[in-house]
Amino acid sequence: QVQLVESGGGLVQAGGSLRLSCAVSGRTFSRYAMGWFRQPPGKEREFVAAISWSGGSTSTADSVKGRFTISRDSAKNTVYLQMNSLKPEDTAVYYCVADARSVATLARSPNYWGQGTQVTVSS
């Protein structure tokens, strides 16, 4: 079992930045692909970004490419999402996710989900 706990959400003005963190406990962190999904108000959950277990491969949704960066720190069992140039349409609950298989499968249907953290971007 893997436990994921997100932090770092909040209210920010358009154009601002936030960094989300996800602390991972349970199984061996280094063997899991990690990532982020989000759910905007009234919409379905959508893929945001993913990083391979080695950190050597990343994938980012077109809607956030060039603005969001995913990274991981194996020593701290933590994955991060740096969000820059935030827009009101980035407002959503952001979920940390993990998958033991691959970045590709994580982007479609992750094994594990955190509880989520709210990000609100005001115009």
Side-chain angles (χ1 to χ4, degrees):
Q1 193 71 9
V2 174
Q3 292 81 44
L4 309 173
V5 179
E6 304 95 335
S7 61
L11 174 64
V12 64
Q13 288 189 330
S17 298
L18 280 177
R19 188 177 79 159
L20 304 183
S21 299
C22 175
V24 184
S25 61
R27 295 288 182 87
T28 306
F29 173 72
S30 63
R31 293 301 183 184
Y32 280 76
M34 301 295 300
W36 295 88
F37 273 63
R38 69 184 182 184
Q39 186 167 19
K43 298 184 179 180
E44 294 186 351
R45 289 180 182 179
E46 60 185 21
F47 169 74
V48 176
I51 187 167
S52 64
W53 66 268
S54 67
S57 176
T58 61
S59 178
T60 308
D62 288 343
S63 58
V64 304
K65 198 162 291 185
R67 301 188 298 120
F68 290 12
T69 303
I70 188 170
S71 62
R72 64 191 296 161
D73 185 336
S74 295
K76 296 182 178 180
N77 282 7
T78 301
V79 62
Y80 304 98
L81 185 67
Q82 178 66 44
M83 306 186 294
N84 299 328
S85 302
L86 282 161
K87 305 175 181 180
E89 51 263 44
D90 295 318
T91 295
V93 177
Y94 283 73
Y95 296 90
C96 179
V97 296
D99 195 280
R101 296 163 290 177
S102 68
V103 165
T105 53
L106 180 144
R108 293 193 301 270
S109 182
N111 290 131
Y112 301 100
W113 292 77
Q115 293 297 310
T117 185
Q118 177 69 47
V119 171
T120 303
V121 184
S122 63
S123 57

